[in-house]
Amino acid sequence: MNNWPHFRLEKRLTVPPWLEFLTLAVSLLLALVAIAVLFRVLGVNPIVAYQRIFRGAFGSLYGLSETIVKAIPLMMCGIGLSLAFRARVYNIGAEGQLLVGAICATGLALSRPDWPSWALRPAMFLVGFIGGALWALIPALLKARFRVDETLSSLMMVYIASELVNYLVYGPWKGAKEMGFPYTDKFSPSAQLPRLLNTRIHYPTLILALVLAVLAYVLIQRTKWGFEIRVTGENPEAARYAGMNYFKTVLLVMLLSGGMAGLAGVGEVAGIHYRLRYPQGISPGYGFTAIIVTWLARLNPLLVIISALLLGGLLVGGDAIQVALGLPVATIYIFNGVILLFVLGSDLFTHYKIRLEWRRER
Amino acid sequence: MPNPSEPHLAVAMHGIVKRFPGVLANDHISFEVRAGEIHALLGENGAGKTTLMNILYGIYQPDEGIIYVKGKRATIRSPRDAIRLGIGMVHQQYRLVSTHTVAENVVLGLPVSFFFPERAARRWLEEFSQKYGLSVDPNARIWQLSAGEQQRVEIIKALCRGADILILDEPTSMLTPGEIDELLGIIRRMAAEGHTIIFITHKLDEVFAISERVTVLRQGKVVATLETAQTDKTSLARLMVGRDVIFRLEKKPAQPGEVVLRVEALHVLDDRRLPAVKGVSLTVSAGEILGIAGVAGNGQRELVEALVGLRKSQRGRVFLKGQEVTNQPPRALIEQGVCYIPGERAMGLAPGLSVAENLILKDYCQEPFARGAFLDYAVINAHANRLVDQYSVTTPSPATPVKLLSGGNIQRVILARETCQSPTLLIAAYPTSGLDVGATEYIRQLILQQRDQGTAVLLVSEDLEEILQLSDRIAVMFEGEIMGILPAHQADLGTIGMMMAGAQRIPMSEAA
């Protein structure tokens, strides 16, 4: 006769909000523990590392401002993605849509340097939005018309966008005054976004992102289109049955999420770099990190603001430990991956009760 | 009390309790099957039959209770354990790989030779074909087979795994009358060879046709275990339902008005792009119920989906109140008052959204629920409160996600949405499948009420009793064709049964 413990899963009928918060907090904590093991293996005291990260990201005014700088594109992409993911349309290509937005804004800034700033800056955001949206339109059409899996096609579009940027900055758009670097010429002042005091926070983009977060929330919760998005995400069959147009919904969320990623790209070239650079220079994977941001925020556009600040801080803190502790760049990507894994895994604990039983064997 | 470890009992389950969230599916059930007998497990949908058998087959673990198999105490943790004990189960939904051959499906997961494993299968297929009449072509691909043939493959699979206790879960539900007779023959031959058969059903006739003993379940409890020969249909029905069953519902004579739906020679393809509806013509008038009887899978689903705009028809025309509506999209038909209670309940709902939101699933884009682009939640909630009251939906609140409601209440939500605005045409597909008696009666009365208010009703059902109770005229569908349309008072079960099997056809001219 021997006893052994045995786990059983039982579906929960309702998920109280405190539980959702608790599992989220615990999963983040566990992710940190898992990464601590990794630091240990790399020969770094994890407590020191975490201290550095925290101090780097939030411990000084400079760090805080840089955290906000990194959070801006994450917010912008994350808000759009929360709409797409709600409809269960998995747009993984925000990174590419961001780059195309940057290309379009650069094109306008370089060709119309003399336009007054009040016209040029909004026009750059507009063409950036359109560019990102059109880039997302391709996988959207493929999905809605031919049932091509959008996860794959939107991801592939990232590489095309990335090579397009490379082609432009090494080729036709290579700056005359950039001494052979793969940069375009610097934008005229009227194409440069203003910054807050002596930080790099390009506040027009930040304000735009905050406004869009509220609009996205209202769209999803209070409008007909939001209703269609939610029904489609819950049950595409029911959406068809209720006379909703699946094609339209897929297109809508792809265009919106692509367009918002495009806006993020505009912010980067017009607010940070004042030029188009090689792709990794424009975005260290904001479009991918935004997927984690969105999931952390439970697909809620308002919570995206908070989770974007959190992961923005992680990026800044990651830079800090890279320099201070001599860790490779990849550390921060591992960091991101581990967090996503734990957050996604924690869903099990919110939706199921787990019972430990001692099973008797005779 | 007999000793549970007596070897002549193939299976003895004692004090089995199984709880699901909010439901007590099995309430201290004791169930004994003698070796070599055919034992019917009778009960309505939701009585706990399948749960009990899933426990025996190791799919669920009981919360309480003990199980003996062939006289020995058994802990059945998974189907693998069950198979080791010689228990096999044929589920209602077959679990076959549809693109593979019969032989490949039979050997799947069996420890036969690594190369050309299907050779072993051929030998078995030969053997079972001779022994029990279980004949299937080993080279046929599963998707090419009829439901009856697929079921044979499932039975062969169980036998190859050494099953001498075979559980058949509502084995006749997908079969034509002819196939049912064949199956019953096979079961008798297997029992004669010493197999023990547990036959789950909710049809009284089958109990008498095949079983030696019968155990009746009601609401998770055993009501009685009887020798079949010593009981009769009326007393079994009473045991099963818990009260005297009214075999006829109060029904006023129909007062048909103008023709609402006219279908002319409609042709529709199924998902595999094979013809499923082959030249169907029919009419439904305001204030009458046209019932479509037939074994599921004879084109009913495709016909209905074409009528509500979810599937394109190839040829033929559909008229609504004289206007042609052939192949119009769902939205256009909804706006012309076509309401649809889908056969698969899940199709009509967004499970994670609230009851209130599901009640406006179709009307969300119209006044008063929408004002411009915005939804007016005050109006939506008031609407929900009214319907929850009117249709007696049991829900904690209209804000509760609809997936948390019971099957009967989910169906009430769909019915409330589909009938609250007095539709022009109501299409109801299998409206009471899987529901308990109370909910079933309520829904049937509601459908009659709709008819009396002047709605044209097209009712698709597999349940002949339901068809006979509700319909004013009965159309029988077989292999995508209408075998004939009879006025309900002229319809008798024999004729309809023959038509369902495709053995009899009544010329269309007199009916239309």
Side-chain angles (χ1 to χ4, degrees), chain A residues 195-354:
Chain A
R195 292 170 170 180
L196 191 65
L197 305 174
N198 56 353
T199 68
R200 299 202 297 163
I201 301 171
H202 41 113
Y203 58 84
T205 326
L206 179 61
I207 293 166
L208 187 61
L210 296 177
V211 170
L212 286 174
V214 176
L215 287 181
Y217 183 81
V218 173
L219 173 79
I220 202 93
Q221 296 297 345
R222 292 282 164 217
T223 68
K224 293 198 274 196
W225 302 303
F227 190 70
E228 287 171 359
I229 291 170
R230 285 185 289 145
V231 172
T232 304
E234 282 286 336
N235 183 356
E237 278 290 302
R240 238 162 69 77
Y241 159 86
M244 295 173 187
N245 189 337
Y246 181 71
F247 185 76
K248 193 186 101 182
T249 306
V250 170
L251 232 55
L252 177 74
V253 295
M254 282 298 268
L255 289 177
L256 286 177
S257 60
M260 294 190 58
L263 292 180
V266 179
E268 292 312 291
V269 289
I272 304 288
H273 306 291
Y274 302 146
R275 54 169 69 81
L276 192 67
R277 311 166 63 188
Y278 57 93
Q280 293 75 15
I282 298 292
S283 162
Y286 288 133
F288 294 122
T289 308
I291 297 166
I292 309 170
V293 167
T294 311
W295 228 267
L296 258 178
R298 303 271 166 194
L299 310 190
N300 179 334
L302 293 178
L303 295 184
V304 162
I305 298 170
I306 296 166
S307 61
L309 286 169
L310 209 66
L311 283 211
L314 206 56
L315 289 177
V316 175
D319 283 345
I321 55 168
Q322 237 180 80
V323 178
L325 304 174
L327 291 173
V329 197
T331 320
I332 212 67
Y333 298 127
I334 295 172
F335 223 121
N336 285 343
V338 171
I339 287 178
L340 183 63
L341 201 64
F342 274 81
V343 169
L344 290 182
S346 76
D347 264 2
L348 179 76
F349 297 90
T350 36
H351 295 297
Y352 291 88
K353 260 184 222 158
I354 301 191

Side-chain angles (χ1 to χ4, degrees), chain A residues 4 6 8 10-15 86 88 218-245 248-249 351 353 355 357 359-362, chain B residues 18-19 21-22 61-63 73 75 77 305 309-311 330-331 334 340-342 346-353 357-358 360-362 364-366 370 372-377 401 403-404 414 417-418:
Chain A
W4 78 91
H6 174 83
R8 256 195 10 194
E10 236 171 59
K11 205 158 172 70
R12 275 177 198 279
L13 286 184
T14 49
V15 182
R86 263 299 177 87
R88 255 194 260 167
V218 173
L219 173 79
I220 202 93
Q221 296 297 345
R222 292 282 164 217
T223 68
K224 293 198 274 196
W225 302 303
F227 190 70
E228 287 171 359
I229 291 170
R230 285 185 289 145
V231 172
T232 304
E234 282 286 336
N235 183 356
E237 278 290 302
R240 238 162 69 77
Y241 159 86
M244 295 173 187
N245 189 337
K248 193 186 101 182
T249 306
H351 295 297
K353 260 184 222 158
R355 293 214 301 213
E357 292 181 342
R359 176 69 73 60
R360 238 170 282 118
E361 182 78 340
R362 287 184 196 172
Chain B
K18 180 69 192 174
R19 292 182 196 88
Q61 306 303 311
D63 294 329
R73 174 77 193 265
T75 310
R77 218 166 288 114
E305 287 185 357
L310 289 172
R311 192 181 283 272
R331 183 87 257 153
I334 289 167
Y340 173 38
I341 298 163
M347 186 187 199
L349 293 166
L353 298 193
E357 288 175 316
N358 272 286
I360 57 148
L361 200 63
K362 284 179 169 173
Y364 69 99
C365 50
Q366 282 155 8
F374 291 93
L375 294 177
D376 187 335
Y377 271 87
K403 66 180 170 194
L404 301 183
I414 296 179
R417 183 181 66 217
E418 298 303 314

Side-chain angles (χ1 to χ4, degrees), chain A residues 111-155:
Chain A
S111 61
R112 301 281 182 275
D114 311 328
W115 280 15
S117 60
W118 59 262
L120 186 53
R121 289 172 192 160
M124 283 167 70
F125 276 114
L126 186 67
V127 295
F129 184 92
I130 293 170
L134 288 178
W135 207 248
L137 181 68
I138 298 166
L141 286 175
L142 287 173
K143 178 185 172 67
R145 272 279 171 263
F146 304 109
R147 298 188 182 186
V148 175
D149 191 339
E150 75 280 11
T151 28
L152 263 181
S153 56
S154 63
L155 180 63

